[in-house]
Amino acid sequence: VQRYELYYDTEPVCVIQKCSGLNFDWTNMNTDAIFPVDYGTIVTVTCDTGYQLLGSNELTCVKDTSFTFENEEASCIEIVDNEDEDEKSAIFSDETATAFFVLFIICLVAAALFATLYCALLRKS
C-alpha cells in the first residue's frame, strides 16, 4: 500500500465568520451597519418615516453567518392615520344621510296625508 503525504507551503489562517447581509425581508427598514459584519456584532434596525417597528430592533450575527433576533423577528408596518380610516369606514356619507332624512320626512308627510284622506273617506261612508 502506497502512502501519500500532503505538504502545504503556507500556514493555516483563521478567518473570522462574517454576516454578509440581513437574511430576511427588510423592506422599509434601515441600519447603520456596513456589511459584512463580524460574528457577534449586534446590528440595530430602524424603520423608514411613516412606518413602525414591530419586534426586536437588535439582531446578532451568529456562527452560521446569519442574524438572530433578540426576541421576535423585526418588521416595519405602515402607520395608518385613524382619522382617514374613520371617514372611510363610515356607513353613509353626510350627503347620503341628509338625503335619507329628507326622504324620511317626505314619507311621513305622505303617510299623514294618506291617513287624513282615508279618515275623510270613512266619514263619508
Side-chain angles (χ1 to χ4, degrees):
V1 176
Q2 188 173 9
R3 191 168 179 204
Y4 294 97
E5 292 184 27
L6 298 175
Y7 295 96
Y8 297 96
D9 56 348
T10 59
E11 291 186 33
V13 176
C14 292
V15 177
I16 296 174
Q17 294 290 324
K18 294 184 181 284
C19 294
S20 59
L22 300 177
N23 56 335
F24 61 95
D25 179 19
W26 54 304
T27 305
N28 304 312
M29 196 175 291
N30 302 299
T31 182
D32 290 338
I34 298 173
F35 296 100
V37 296
D38 294 341
Y39 162 74
T41 300
I42 296 174
V43 174
T44 303
V45 293
T46 58
C47 294
D48 290 340
T49 303
Y51 291 82
Q52 178 179 358
L53 182 69
L54 291 182
S56 179
N57 71 329
E58 289 186 341
L59 348 105
T60 305
C61 176
V62 293
K63 290 180 188 176
D64 68 356
T65 68
S66 66
F67 284 95
T68 184
F69 288 90
E70 182 180 305
N71 295 317
E72 174 183 343
E73 185 171 314
S75 62
C76 291
I77 60 165
E78 189 172 8
I79 297 172
V80 178
D81 184 3
N82 289 337
E83 289 180 17
D84 290 344
E85 285 299 310
D86 289 343
E87 288 176 15
K88 289 177 188 175
S89 66
I91 296 172
F92 300 116
S93 67
D94 289 341
E95 294 84 14
T96 305
T98 302
F100 277 124
F101 179 73
V102 169
L103 184 59
F104 176 73
I105 297 299
I106 291 170
C107 288
L108 283 177
V109 170
L113 286 173
F114 177 77
T116 304
L117 289 174
Y118 183 72
C119 288
L121 286 175
L122 284 177
R123 286 189 198 138
K124 285 187 175 184
S125 322

